[in-house]
Amino acid sequence: MKYMLIMRSNDQAVEDYENLDFTEVIAAMGAYNESLIKAGVLLGGEGLTDAKEGFVVDFDSTPPVVTDGPYGETKELFNGFWIIQAASPEEAAEWAKRCPLGPGSKLEVRRVTELEDFPQDNEWIQKEAGWRAEAEGRLGTAN
Amino acid sequence: MTETDAPGTVEPADAAAGDAAADRARRAVAAVWRIESARIVATLTRFVGDVGQAEDLAQEALVEALRQWPAEGVPNNPGAWLTAVAKRRAIDGWRRRERLDERYAAMAHDLERDGAAASDTFWDPDTIDDDILRLIFVSCHPVLSREAQIALTLRIVGGLGSEEIARAFLVPTATVQQRIVRAKKTLAAAKVPFEVPEPNEYAARLASVLQVLYLIFNEGYLPAAGDEWVRPDVSAEALRLTRMVAGLMPREPEAQSLVALMEFTASRFAARTARDGTPIPLDEQDRSRWDRAQIGRGQAALARADAIGRGRGAYGLQAAIAECHAVAASVDDTDWGRIVLLYEALGRLAPSPVVDLNRAVAVAMSTGPASALRIVDELVANGRLAGYAPLPAVRGELLRRLGRTSEARSELEAAARLTGNEQERASLLAKIAALAPPAVPPAE
């Protein structure tokens, strides 16, 4: 099974993070990532740039409204994710607990859906598989 | 002891809660064991000098964890906790046997002085990586039978329980336990050292490790009578262990290549069987169901292998063939010419009639059935694949494409008689039925 470890931090943690020694942070995260790689469980993951560079597409209205940065009402920012292979939710939790994060940060752990999670007869499911392959195939050839 | 509830006075609800806590603890212990077993057993082996004894001690520590964790919670560093408990057990054992000589006395002293924290010193990353590598080589040691190597690797390196291993290999749990007990005895009797092999035997020992991993992977991949949902997990586990081995030996192209081969093969899992379990051959698979992210990981692993600059070995060539399929949008779009070349290279490196048969299939796709038939006829002539169902199946298919229908029919019928797989037989019979009716001999 695949699990996504979703890193979320509150504003205070993000600010604290900026005051930390960056090389130390990199070293701690690097060691954590290496432990995932060496255990053979790391399937993927990305960190995200500053939320100030981001924007929000809000579907409360039609058509959706695009606004700058998710500020004001947000309590937690989504900063990055890992996808790992684990045999059980407990194993995913064990890996999550080892992540070098501090107060104000959370890892939300979610199982990644597999094709088998959906009714296979549904024509939209079948179409989606096709679109996904096509889109990713195009990305693949661009590399 | 945590058994504070007097038996008989427990309310049903409490009993249920107790069961739930015990169940949680069991799952937590299993999760920690999966992650830490290799490090724990490697560290303990360094401590006591024997893999079998180290594994026994680790198992005792697991039992202790099942007793303590429901009440006290999972410790902060569960791996170190288990290691420390196991070490104390080792020392208790030596004391009981009055073998507390100076060396053991010193170890006991250190452990008691530093408490559980002492084990942190045993988790030095460089030492532990080397120790895990030693453990892998010992688990796949040639004094052990293949079955014992597989069971020990999954148990110690992979951290699977005997029940999980039994389920994966469709054998009774007692059989797995027996294999592990026997394996530990064999290692002790042969006085197998806890070492990475000497240079003169390194290549053969590495090949043995990779072969064990590949066999485990194939156990999940090849169609068998088991529960479809359980067995892909075996392959996922093999892939995880192979990634681990490749991480421990980043300069071994074949370890990286085996990761690549497994990633490519596993990327087709969702497409390789119909819902009723019928295997779908590669050329009929719905390629939109191939796992693109997994194909990407396979390509990255093969690129790592190539970057080492020592050329491609047998796994490297097989991975490269798998990559040709993985990147092709369709059968027609496949670079069959390249696949033929890769099979030729593979046949030179590891001559095998099965490789030749596969090469014939690729030749049929790239240059046509006539030249492929010449290869297959040579295989028939040398007789090394006698009784192997795919041989007449391929020959029959080539003859069919050449329009030699009645010869095709008898070959396909032979294949249908030889195959042990019911679904395979059904698909051959369907192919026979679709052939043109037997030609009436022309009147003279």
Side-chain angles (χ1 to χ4, degrees), chain A residues 2 37-41 43 85 87-91 94-95 97-98 115-116 120-121 126 129-130 133 136-137, chain B residues 27-28 31-32 34-36 74 78 129 229 236-237 240 243-244 247 270 275 287-289 291-293 297:
Chain A
K2 289 185 275 195
I37 292 167
K38 278 192 176 156
V41 297
L43 301 182
Q85 175 186 327
S88 66
E90 288 80 7
E91 191 189 336
E94 241 346 283
W95 282 116
K97 277 156 63 183
R98 289 155 198 240
L115 271 177
E116 292 75 23
Q120 296 302 301
D121 305 340
Q126 295 192 351
E136 284 165 349
Chain B
R27 295 158 73 101
V32 168
R34 272 181 66 82
I35 296 172
E36 304 278 15
V74 179
D129 281 0
W229 287 103
E237 179 59 22
R240 178 178 80 91
R243 286 193 204 110
M244 187 171 145
R275 235 161 306 139
R287 295 181 181 221
S288 72
R289 301 189 69 170
D291 184 335
R292 300 285 146 183
R297 289 199 293 277

Side-chain angles (χ1 to χ4, degrees), chain A residues 56-143:
Chain A
V56 167
V57 180
D58 190 330
F59 290 84
D60 275 354
S61 52
T62 313
V65 174
V66 180
T67 53
D68 288 342
Y71 292 103
E73 65 288 347
T74 50
K75 297 214 169 47
E76 284 172 341
L77 290 171
F78 171 29
N79 291 324
F81 68 92
W82 291 261
I83 295 178
I84 63 166
Q85 175 186 327
S88 66
E90 288 80 7
E91 191 189 336
E94 241 346 283
W95 282 116
K97 277 156 63 183
R98 289 155 198 240
C99 189
L101 294 172
S105 293
K106 289 189 174 93
L107 279 182
E108 180 179 345
V109 181
R110 305 273 296 270
R111 186 169 69 80
V112 177
T113 53
E114 319 246 340
L115 271 177
E116 292 75 23
D117 288 316
F118 299 103
Q120 296 302 301
D121 305 340
N122 186 303
E123 63 168 312
W124 291 106
I125 299 297
Q126 295 192 351
K127 275 188 185 163
E128 191 198 296
W131 297 332
R132 199 163 3 160
E134 203 184 315
E136 284 165 349
R138 246 188 266 122
L139 287 176
T141 50
N143 282 340

Side-chain angles (χ1 to χ4, degrees), chain B residues 335-394:
Chain B
D335 189 347
W336 290 104
R338 187 172 148 73
I339 294 178
V340 170
L341 292 176
L342 289 165
Y343 271 124
E344 282 173 3
L346 185 60
R348 278 193 295 273
L349 196 67
S352 143
V354 174
V355 169
D356 289 338
L357 186 59
N358 282 321
R359 177 166 58 91
V361 173
V363 166
M365 296 303 294
S366 95
T367 48
S371 35
L373 189 62
R374 279 195 289 277
I375 301 172
V376 174
D377 284 345
E378 270 176 47
L379 285 170
V380 173
N382 74 27
R384 285 182 59 201
L385 284 179
Y388 182 65
L391 181 64
V394 169

Side-chain angles (χ1 to χ4, degrees), chain B residues 191-216:
Chain B
K191 298 202 189 318
V192 168
F194 189 55
E195 289 299 341
V196 168
E198 297 293 325
N200 63 339
E201 56 174 24
Y202 190 87
R205 295 282 304 278
L206 174 63
S208 171
V209 169
L210 298 180
Q211 202 181 350
V212 164
L213 295 168
Y214 196 37
L215 284 172
I216 298 171

